Amino acid sequence: MKLFPVYALNNITITRAEGARVFDEAGKSYLDFYGGHAVISIGHRHPHWVKRIEDQLSKIAFYSNSIRMPIQQELADILGRVSGKPDYQLFLCNSGAEANENAFKLASFHTGRKKIIAFKKSFHGRTSLAVAATDSPALVAPVNETSNVVFLPYNDEAALREYFVREGSSVACVILEGIQGVGGIHVASAPFLKTIRSLCDEHGAVYIADAVQCGYGRSGHFFSHDHAGVNADIYSVAKGMGNGFPVAGILIHPKFQAKVGMLGTTFGGNQLACAAALAVLEVMEKDSLMAKARESGEYLMKNLREIPGLLNLRGMGLMIGFDLPEDKKDLRARLLSEFGIFTGEAKPNTVRLLPMLNISKVEMDELLNALRKLA
């Protein structure tokens, strides 16, 4: 049987990882400023994360949500505390796309409406409704197409107000990434997020904060939306939540009422997933990683601004992007081939930096020195 070839692959086989570094089969070391799409939040194979998983594995790895699982409540308690949302409710699932699917369903159940407002250059997942709300037509199969999603310009308050004037009574929810990831590291302004909050309140719509990539402390806030001082009704989380172990969820405002059978999942919230997620939050809290992400982001931004040839530098915390001129469009490939540094990308010529939250100054300087030689 052959693998279905849907990924553009680097000709590298990673066999081992530790901290901010990964190693190929020949033992060559690579610096990881990509983290597998911002998944590695506390470093590869963090000792506390490994121990938490090993300890849980020695007891039980999985049973379904047909029984009581105290470890789920343990996770909900620390997540409420670290995120600053202790009065919210938690539904656990497996991936960011699944989290967003359930957020859409919950918004529609709550409002009795169908219309979804999403934004240009958005990415919310590849499952049916999540991909319909993703601004990438090549990913949307005919069966995913729906007239229930409208795409508005990002950070355009006037366009959003105008749509609500016309269609407000039919809007179930507004969903947006506080910092667009796949779309190229675009940060939602505080006035724009406040406008979303006020319009949702005025028209009875649900505000969904897609924090799958820009959440979990990456921006220097637990949710990047927090910089505006507003609360969303639902937050979707995944990626950095498990540091590489598949786990996700939605944080749900207390105004939403649950009914048995309303949402469900087979694997979501299993014991092993909860152990991985607990380890991440425990390390984040103990090592003050949100503050560290802010400080490291400021250090990177200050130094990146001084490198000529890096255009339109933008981002927040450790979610940073910059554009490349056409004659430097191979810079990302050269970072990997010549300096052994993994980074992310966004089309056409954007480099994305998504390192672990406890990246060291030595490791940041390694990237900066490579960029100074290539830019």
Side-chain angles (χ1 to χ4, degrees), residues 37-91:
H37 293 304
V39 166
I40 302 301
S41 51
I42 61 171
H44 295 280
R45 293 179 58 247
H46 190 287
H48 182 66
W49 180 83
V50 171
K51 187 175 188 308
R52 260 290 195 175
I53 291 173
E54 288 177 342
D55 288 350
Q56 185 59 50
L57 194 58
S58 70
K59 300 171 186 174
I60 180 173
F62 170 81
Y63 205 78
S64 77
N65 285 293
S66 61
I67 59 165
R68 290 180 63 251
M69 281 190 261
I71 196 170
Q72 291 184 343
Q73 186 59 58
E74 186 182 356
L75 174 57
D77 289 343
I78 187 172
L79 178 55
R81 182 175 72 245
V82 177
S83 69
K85 306 289 186 285
D87 56 336
Y88 279 54
Q89 307 163 88
L90 177 63
F91 174 77

Short mmCIF file of all heavy atoms in Angstrom, two decimals, residues 37-91:
data_model
loop_
_atom_site.label_atom_id
_atom_site.label_comp_id
_atom_site.label_asym_id
_atom_site.label_seq_id
_atom_site.Cartn_x
_atom_site.Cartn_y
_atom_site.Cartn_z
N HIS A 37 3.69 23.57 13.01
CA HIS A 37 2.53 24.48 13.02
C HIS A 37 2.20 24.97 14.43
O HIS A 37 1.03 24.93 14.85
CB HIS A 37 1.29 23.81 12.43
CG HIS A 37 1.32 23.50 10.98
ND1 HIS A 37 1.57 24.44 10.01
CD2 HIS A 37 1.12 22.33 10.33
CE1 HIS A 37 1.51 23.86 8.82
NE2 HIS A 37 1.26 22.58 8.99
N ALA A 38 3.18 25.38 15.19
CA ALA A 38 2.95 25.97 16.52
C ALA A 38 2.44 24.95 17.54
O ALA A 38 1.85 25.32 18.55
CB ALA A 38 1.98 27.15 16.44
N VAL A 39 2.69 23.68 17.30
CA VAL A 39 2.22 22.63 18.20
C VAL A 39 3.13 22.48 19.42
O VAL A 39 2.65 22.28 20.54
CB VAL A 39 2.13 21.28 17.43
CG1 VAL A 39 2.00 20.11 18.39
CG2 VAL A 39 0.96 21.32 16.45
N ILE A 40 4.45 22.58 19.22
CA ILE A 40 5.39 22.35 20.32
C ILE A 40 5.49 23.62 21.17
O ILE A 40 6.16 24.57 20.82
CB ILE A 40 6.77 21.93 19.79
CG1 ILE A 40 6.65 20.66 18.94
CG2 ILE A 40 7.74 21.71 20.94
CD1 ILE A 40 6.06 19.46 19.69
N SER A 41 4.79 23.61 22.28
CA SER A 41 4.68 24.81 23.11
C SER A 41 5.70 24.84 24.24
O SER A 41 6.18 25.92 24.62
CB SER A 41 3.26 24.93 23.69
OG SER A 41 2.87 23.71 24.31
N ILE A 42 6.05 23.68 24.80
CA ILE A 42 6.98 23.67 25.94
C ILE A 42 8.27 22.93 25.61
O ILE A 42 9.08 22.66 26.51
CB ILE A 42 6.32 23.07 27.20
CG1 ILE A 42 5.89 21.61 26.97
CG2 ILE A 42 5.14 23.92 27.65
CD1 ILE A 42 5.45 20.89 28.23
N GLY A 43 8.49 22.62 24.36
CA GLY A 43 9.72 21.96 23.93
C GLY A 43 9.52 20.47 23.71
O GLY A 43 8.74 19.81 24.40
N HIS A 44 10.22 19.94 22.72
CA HIS A 44 10.15 18.51 22.43
C HIS A 44 10.59 17.69 23.65
O HIS A 44 11.60 17.99 24.29
CB HIS A 44 11.06 18.16 21.26
CG HIS A 44 10.64 18.77 19.96
ND1 HIS A 44 9.63 18.23 19.18
CD2 HIS A 44 11.08 19.87 19.29
CE1 HIS A 44 9.47 18.97 18.09
NE2 HIS A 44 10.34 19.97 18.13
N ARG A 45 9.82 16.69 23.98
CA ARG A 45 10.13 15.74 25.04
C ARG A 45 10.46 16.42 26.38
O ARG A 45 11.38 16.02 27.08
CB ARG A 45 11.31 14.83 24.63
CG ARG A 45 10.99 13.88 23.49
CD ARG A 45 12.18 13.00 23.10
NE ARG A 45 12.64 12.23 24.24
CZ ARG A 45 13.82 12.39 24.85
NH1 ARG A 45 14.67 13.32 24.43
NH2 ARG A 45 14.17 11.64 25.87
N HIS A 46 9.70 17.43 26.73
CA HIS A 46 9.92 18.07 28.03
C HIS A 46 9.82 17.01 29.13
O HIS A 46 8.88 16.20 29.13
CB HIS A 46 8.88 19.17 28.25
CG HIS A 46 9.17 20.03 29.44
ND1 HIS A 46 8.99 19.57 30.75
CD2 HIS A 46 9.63 21.31 29.55
CE1 HIS A 46 9.32 20.54 31.59
NE2 HIS A 46 9.71 21.59 30.90
N PRO A 47 10.76 16.96 30.07
CA PRO A 47 10.77 15.88 31.07
C PRO A 47 9.47 15.74 31.85
O PRO A 47 9.03 14.62 32.13
CB PRO A 47 11.93 16.26 32.00
CG PRO A 47 12.82 17.12 31.16
CD PRO A 47 11.92 17.86 30.21
N HIS A 48 8.83 16.86 32.21
CA HIS A 48 7.58 16.77 32.97
C HIS A 48 6.47 16.21 32.10
O HIS A 48 5.65 15.41 32.57
CB HIS A 48 7.20 18.15 33.50
CG HIS A 48 5.95 18.13 34.34
ND1 HIS A 48 5.86 17.48 35.55
CD2 HIS A 48 4.70 18.66 34.11
CE1 HIS A 48 4.65 17.62 36.05
NE2 HIS A 48 3.93 18.33 35.18
N TRP A 49 6.44 16.60 30.85
CA TRP A 49 5.44 16.09 29.89
C TRP A 49 5.62 14.59 29.70
O TRP A 49 4.65 13.82 29.73
CB TRP A 49 5.60 16.86 28.59
CG TRP A 49 4.70 16.51 27.46
CD1 TRP A 49 3.42 16.95 27.26
CD2 TRP A 49 5.02 15.69 26.33
NE1 TRP A 49 2.93 16.45 26.08
CE2 TRP A 49 3.88 15.67 25.50
CE3 TRP A 49 6.15 14.97 25.94
CZ2 TRP A 49 3.85 14.97 24.29
CZ3 TRP A 49 6.12 14.27 24.75
CH2 TRP A 49 4.98 14.27 23.93
N VAL A 50 6.85 14.15 29.51
CA VAL A 50 7.13 12.72 29.34
C VAL A 50 6.69 11.94 30.58
O VAL A 50 6.03 10.89 30.48
CB VAL A 50 8.63 12.48 29.06
CG1 VAL A 50 8.96 10.99 29.09
CG2 VAL A 50 9.02 13.08 27.70
N LYS A 51 7.02 12.45 31.76
CA LYS A 51 6.67 11.73 33.00
C LYS A 51 5.17 11.67 33.20
O LYS A 51 4.64 10.62 33.61
CB LYS A 51 7.33 12.41 34.20
CG LYS A 51 7.15 11.61 35.50
CD LYS A 51 7.91 12.23 36.65
CE LYS A 51 7.89 11.30 37.87
NZ LYS A 51 6.53 10.87 38.25
N ARG A 52 4.48 12.77 32.93
CA ARG A 52 3.03 12.78 33.06
C ARG A 52 2.39 11.70 32.17
O ARG A 52 1.50 10.97 32.61
CB ARG A 52 2.46 14.15 32.66
CG ARG A 52 2.12 15.10 33.78
CD ARG A 52 0.91 14.64 34.57
NE ARG A 52 0.37 15.70 35.40
CZ ARG A 52 -0.75 15.55 36.10
NH1 ARG A 52 -1.41 14.41 36.07
NH2 ARG A 52 -1.20 16.53 36.85
N ILE A 53 2.85 11.59 30.95
CA ILE A 53 2.30 10.60 30.02
C ILE A 53 2.68 9.19 30.45
O ILE A 53 1.83 8.28 30.44
CB ILE A 53 2.79 10.90 28.58
CG1 ILE A 53 2.14 12.20 28.07
CG2 ILE A 53 2.45 9.74 27.64
CD1 ILE A 53 2.67 12.66 26.74
N GLU A 54 3.93 8.99 30.84
CA GLU A 54 4.37 7.66 31.28
C GLU A 54 3.60 7.20 32.52
O GLU A 54 3.17 6.04 32.60
CB GLU A 54 5.87 7.67 31.57
CG GLU A 54 6.73 7.74 30.33
CD GLU A 54 8.22 7.81 30.65
OE1 GLU A 54 8.57 8.15 31.81
OE2 GLU A 54 9.02 7.55 29.74
N ASP A 55 3.41 8.12 33.46
CA ASP A 55 2.66 7.77 34.68
C ASP A 55 1.22 7.38 34.35
O ASP A 55 0.68 6.41 34.90
CB ASP A 55 2.68 8.93 35.67
CG ASP A 55 4.02 9.14 36.33
OD1 ASP A 55 4.91 8.27 36.16
OD2 ASP A 55 4.20 10.18 36.99
N GLN A 56 0.60 8.14 33.44
CA GLN A 56 -0.78 7.83 33.06
C GLN A 56 -0.85 6.53 32.28
O GLN A 56 -1.76 5.71 32.46
CB GLN A 56 -1.38 8.98 32.24
CG GLN A 56 -2.84 8.80 31.89
CD GLN A 56 -3.71 8.68 33.13
OE1 GLN A 56 -3.62 9.50 34.04
NE2 GLN A 56 -4.56 7.66 33.19
N LEU A 57 0.13 6.32 31.40
CA LEU A 57 0.16 5.11 30.58
C LEU A 57 0.28 3.85 31.44
O LEU A 57 -0.24 2.79 31.07
CB LEU A 57 1.32 5.20 29.59
CG LEU A 57 1.34 4.22 28.42
CD1 LEU A 57 0.08 4.33 27.58
CD2 LEU A 57 2.57 4.49 27.55
N SER A 58 0.93 3.97 32.58
CA SER A 58 1.08 2.82 33.46
C SER A 58 -0.22 2.48 34.19
O SER A 58 -0.34 1.41 34.81
CB SER A 58 2.18 3.08 34.49
OG SER A 58 1.78 4.07 35.43
N LYS A 59 -1.21 3.39 34.10
CA LYS A 59 -2.51 3.16 34.76
C LYS A 59 -3.57 2.78 33.73
O LYS A 59 -4.06 1.66 33.69
CB LYS A 59 -2.94 4.41 35.53
CG LYS A 59 -1.96 4.82 36.62
CD LYS A 59 -2.34 6.18 37.19
CE LYS A 59 -1.30 6.69 38.17
NZ LYS A 59 -1.58 8.08 38.60
N ILE A 60 -3.95 3.73 32.89
CA ILE A 60 -4.92 3.49 31.82
C ILE A 60 -4.71 4.58 30.77
O ILE A 60 -4.54 5.75 31.11
CB ILE A 60 -6.38 3.49 32.32
CG1 ILE A 60 -7.34 3.22 31.16
CG2 ILE A 60 -6.72 4.77 33.06
CD1 ILE A 60 -8.80 3.03 31.61
N ALA A 61 -4.71 4.20 29.50
CA ALA A 61 -4.52 5.16 28.42
C ALA A 61 -5.84 5.69 27.90
O ALA A 61 -5.96 6.86 27.56
CB ALA A 61 -3.72 4.52 27.28
N PHE A 62 -6.84 4.82 27.84
CA PHE A 62 -8.09 5.23 27.20
C PHE A 62 -9.29 4.49 27.77
O PHE A 62 -9.24 3.28 28.00
CB PHE A 62 -8.04 4.96 25.68
CG PHE A 62 -9.39 5.13 25.01
CD1 PHE A 62 -9.84 6.40 24.67
CD2 PHE A 62 -10.21 4.05 24.76
CE1 PHE A 62 -11.09 6.57 24.08
CE2 PHE A 62 -11.47 4.21 24.17
CZ PHE A 62 -11.89 5.48 23.84
N TYR A 63 -10.33 5.24 28.01
CA TYR A 63 -11.69 4.70 28.06
C TYR A 63 -12.61 5.80 27.58
O TYR A 63 -12.24 6.98 27.59
CB TYR A 63 -12.09 4.18 29.44
CG TYR A 63 -13.18 3.13 29.31
CD1 TYR A 63 -12.86 1.83 28.93
CD2 TYR A 63 -14.52 3.46 29.49
CE1 TYR A 63 -13.84 0.88 28.75
CE2 TYR A 63 -15.51 2.51 29.32
CZ TYR A 63 -15.17 1.22 28.95
OH TYR A 63 -16.16 0.29 28.76
N SER A 64 -13.78 5.46 27.15
CA SER A 64 -14.65 6.44 26.50
C SER A 64 -15.32 7.36 27.50
O SER A 64 -15.26 7.15 28.72
CB SER A 64 -15.73 5.71 25.68
OG SER A 64 -16.73 5.21 26.55
N ASN A 65 -16.03 8.33 26.99
CA ASN A 65 -16.73 9.32 27.82
C ASN A 65 -18.04 8.79 28.40
O ASN A 65 -18.91 9.58 28.77
CB ASN A 65 -16.98 10.59 27.00
CG ASN A 65 -15.71 11.41 26.81
OD1 ASN A 65 -15.18 11.96 27.75
ND2 ASN A 65 -15.22 11.47 25.58
N SER A 66 -18.15 7.48 28.50
CA SER A 66 -19.32 6.87 29.13
C SER A 66 -19.11 6.64 30.63
O SER A 66 -19.99 6.11 31.31
CB SER A 66 -19.64 5.52 28.46
OG SER A 66 -18.55 4.63 28.61
N ILE A 67 -17.94 7.06 31.14
CA ILE A 67 -17.64 6.92 32.56
C ILE A 67 -17.17 8.25 33.12
O ILE A 67 -16.82 9.17 32.38
CB ILE A 67 -16.54 5.86 32.81
CG1 ILE A 67 -15.25 6.26 32.05
CG2 ILE A 67 -17.00 4.47 32.38
CD1 ILE A 67 -14.01 5.51 32.49
N ARG A 68 -17.13 8.37 34.44
CA ARG A 68 -16.57 9.55 35.07
C ARG A 68 -15.05 9.52 34.93
O ARG A 68 -14.41 8.48 35.14
CB ARG A 68 -16.94 9.61 36.56
CG ARG A 68 -18.40 9.89 36.83
CD ARG A 68 -18.67 9.93 38.33
NE ARG A 68 -17.92 11.02 38.99
CZ ARG A 68 -16.89 10.81 39.80
NH1 ARG A 68 -16.46 9.59 40.05
NH2 ARG A 68 -16.27 11.84 40.35
N MET A 69 -14.46 10.67 34.60
CA MET A 69 -13.00 10.77 34.49
C MET A 69 -12.54 11.99 35.27
O MET A 69 -12.57 13.11 34.75
CB MET A 69 -12.58 10.86 33.02
CG MET A 69 -12.56 9.54 32.30
SD MET A 69 -11.78 9.65 30.67
CE MET A 69 -13.24 9.76 29.62
N PRO A 70 -12.13 11.81 36.50
CA PRO A 70 -11.68 12.96 37.31
C PRO A 70 -10.55 13.76 36.68
O PRO A 70 -10.44 14.97 36.92
CB PRO A 70 -11.23 12.30 38.62
CG PRO A 70 -12.01 11.03 38.70
CD PRO A 70 -12.15 10.56 37.28
N ILE A 71 -9.73 13.12 35.84
CA ILE A 71 -8.62 13.85 35.22
C ILE A 71 -9.13 14.94 34.28
O ILE A 71 -8.46 15.95 34.08
CB ILE A 71 -7.67 12.86 34.48
CG1 ILE A 71 -6.34 13.56 34.18
CG2 ILE A 71 -8.33 12.30 33.21
CD1 ILE A 71 -5.26 12.61 33.68
N GLN A 72 -10.34 14.77 33.73
CA GLN A 72 -10.92 15.82 32.89
C GLN A 72 -11.24 17.05 33.72
O GLN A 72 -10.98 18.18 33.30
CB GLN A 72 -12.19 15.31 32.19
CG GLN A 72 -11.94 14.27 31.12
CD GLN A 72 -13.22 13.89 30.39
OE1 GLN A 72 -14.33 14.15 30.87
NE2 GLN A 72 -13.08 13.26 29.24
N GLN A 73 -11.79 16.85 34.92
CA GLN A 73 -12.09 17.99 35.78
C GLN A 73 -10.82 18.64 36.28
O GLN A 73 -10.73 19.87 36.42
CB GLN A 73 -12.95 17.56 36.97
CG GLN A 73 -13.44 18.72 37.84
CD GLN A 73 -14.27 19.71 37.04
OE1 GLN A 73 -15.29 19.33 36.45
NE2 GLN A 73 -13.87 20.98 37.02
N GLU A 74 -9.78 17.83 36.54
CA GLU A 74 -8.47 18.37 36.93
C GLU A 74 -7.93 19.29 35.84
O GLU A 74 -7.42 20.39 36.13
CB GLU A 74 -7.50 17.22 37.19
CG GLU A 74 -6.16 17.64 37.74
CD GLU A 74 -5.20 16.48 37.93
OE1 GLU A 74 -5.59 15.31 37.71
OE2 GLU A 74 -4.03 16.75 38.29
N LEU A 75 -8.07 18.86 34.58
CA LEU A 75 -7.64 19.69 33.46
C LEU A 75 -8.49 20.96 33.36
O LEU A 75 -7.95 22.06 33.16
CB LEU A 75 -7.73 18.89 32.16
CG LEU A 75 -7.44 19.64 30.87
CD1 LEU A 75 -6.05 20.27 30.88
CD2 LEU A 75 -7.59 18.71 29.66
N ALA A 76 -9.80 20.83 33.51
CA ALA A 76 -10.68 21.99 33.43
C ALA A 76 -10.34 23.02 34.50
O ALA A 76 -10.35 24.23 34.25
CB ALA A 76 -12.14 21.55 33.55
N ASP A 77 -10.01 22.55 35.69
CA ASP A 77 -9.70 23.47 36.79
C ASP A 77 -8.44 24.29 36.51
O ASP A 77 -8.44 25.52 36.66
CB ASP A 77 -9.53 22.69 38.10
CG ASP A 77 -10.84 22.13 38.63
OD1 ASP A 77 -11.91 22.61 38.20
OD2 ASP A 77 -10.79 21.22 39.47
N ILE A 78 -7.37 23.63 36.09
CA ILE A 78 -6.13 24.37 35.85
C ILE A 78 -6.24 25.21 34.58
O ILE A 78 -5.72 26.33 34.52
CB ILE A 78 -4.90 23.43 35.80
CG1 ILE A 78 -3.61 24.26 35.73
CG2 ILE A 78 -4.98 22.44 34.66
CD1 ILE A 78 -2.33 23.43 35.87
N LEU A 79 -6.96 24.72 33.57
CA LEU A 79 -7.15 25.52 32.35
C LEU A 79 -7.94 26.78 32.65
O LEU A 79 -7.62 27.87 32.16
CB LEU A 79 -7.85 24.68 31.29
CG LEU A 79 -8.17 25.37 29.96
CD1 LEU A 79 -6.94 25.99 29.32
CD2 LEU A 79 -8.83 24.37 28.98
N GLY A 80 -8.97 26.66 33.49
CA GLY A 80 -9.73 27.85 33.88
C GLY A 80 -8.87 28.87 34.59
O GLY A 80 -8.98 30.08 34.34
N ARG A 81 -8.00 28.39 35.46
CA ARG A 81 -7.13 29.29 36.22
C ARG A 81 -6.08 29.95 35.33
O ARG A 81 -5.90 31.18 35.36
CB ARG A 81 -6.44 28.51 37.35
CG ARG A 81 -5.55 29.38 38.23
CD ARG A 81 -4.99 28.62 39.41
NE ARG A 81 -3.96 27.66 39.05
CZ ARG A 81 -4.09 26.34 39.19
NH1 ARG A 81 -5.22 25.81 39.65
NH2 ARG A 81 -3.09 25.54 38.85
N VAL A 82 -5.36 29.17 34.53
CA VAL A 82 -4.28 29.71 33.72
C VAL A 82 -4.80 30.61 32.61
O VAL A 82 -4.19 31.63 32.28
CB VAL A 82 -3.40 28.57 33.16
CG1 VAL A 82 -2.31 29.12 32.25
CG2 VAL A 82 -2.77 27.76 34.29
N SER A 83 -5.95 30.26 32.05
CA SER A 83 -6.51 31.05 30.94
C SER A 83 -7.23 32.30 31.43
O SER A 83 -7.52 33.20 30.63
CB SER A 83 -7.49 30.20 30.13
OG SER A 83 -8.66 29.91 30.88
N GLY A 84 -7.54 32.36 32.73
CA GLY A 84 -8.32 33.48 33.24
C GLY A 84 -9.80 33.37 32.94
O GLY A 84 -10.53 34.36 33.02
N LYS A 85 -10.27 32.15 32.64
CA LYS A 85 -11.69 31.92 32.32
C LYS A 85 -12.26 30.84 33.23
O LYS A 85 -12.80 29.82 32.76
CB LYS A 85 -11.83 31.50 30.85
CG LYS A 85 -11.19 32.45 29.84
CD LYS A 85 -11.96 33.77 29.72
CE LYS A 85 -11.41 34.66 28.62
NZ LYS A 85 -10.14 35.32 28.93
N PRO A 86 -12.19 31.01 34.57
CA PRO A 86 -12.60 29.93 35.48
C PRO A 86 -14.09 29.62 35.45
O PRO A 86 -14.50 28.52 35.84
CB PRO A 86 -12.18 30.45 36.86
CG PRO A 86 -12.16 31.94 36.71
CD PRO A 86 -11.70 32.19 35.30
N ASP A 87 -14.92 30.57 34.98
CA ASP A 87 -16.36 30.33 34.98
C ASP A 87 -16.84 29.69 33.68
O ASP A 87 -18.03 29.37 33.54
CB ASP A 87 -17.11 31.64 35.22
CG ASP A 87 -16.76 32.73 34.22
OD1 ASP A 87 -15.66 32.67 33.63
OD2 ASP A 87 -17.59 33.64 34.01
N TYR A 88 -15.94 29.50 32.71
CA TYR A 88 -16.33 28.86 31.45
C TYR A 88 -16.44 27.35 31.63
O TYR A 88 -16.02 26.79 32.65
CB TYR A 88 -15.31 29.18 30.35
CG TYR A 88 -15.52 30.54 29.70
CD1 TYR A 88 -15.57 31.70 30.46
CD2 TYR A 88 -15.64 30.66 28.32
CE1 TYR A 88 -15.76 32.94 29.88
CE2 TYR A 88 -15.81 31.90 27.71
CZ TYR A 88 -15.88 33.04 28.51
OH TYR A 88 -16.07 34.27 27.91
N GLN A 89 -17.04 26.69 30.65
CA GLN A 89 -17.19 25.25 30.63
C GLN A 89 -16.26 24.67 29.55
O GLN A 89 -15.92 25.36 28.60
CB GLN A 89 -18.64 24.88 30.30
CG GLN A 89 -19.67 25.57 31.20
CD GLN A 89 -21.07 25.53 30.60
OE1 GLN A 89 -21.81 24.58 30.81
NE2 GLN A 89 -21.43 26.56 29.85
N LEU A 90 -15.87 23.40 29.71
CA LEU A 90 -14.91 22.79 28.79
C LEU A 90 -15.51 21.56 28.13
O LEU A 90 -16.02 20.66 28.80
CB LEU A 90 -13.64 22.40 29.56
CG LEU A 90 -12.56 21.67 28.76
CD1 LEU A 90 -12.00 22.56 27.64
CD2 LEU A 90 -11.43 21.22 29.68
N PHE A 91 -15.44 21.53 26.79
CA PHE A 91 -15.73 20.32 26.02
C PHE A 91 -14.45 19.90 25.33
O PHE A 91 -13.84 20.70 24.61
CB PHE A 91 -16.84 20.57 24.98
CG PHE A 91 -17.07 19.38 24.08
CD1 PHE A 91 -17.79 18.28 24.52
CD2 PHE A 91 -16.55 19.36 22.78
CE1 PHE A 91 -17.98 17.18 23.69
CE2 PHE A 91 -16.74 18.27 21.95
CZ PHE A 91 -17.46 17.17 22.41
#
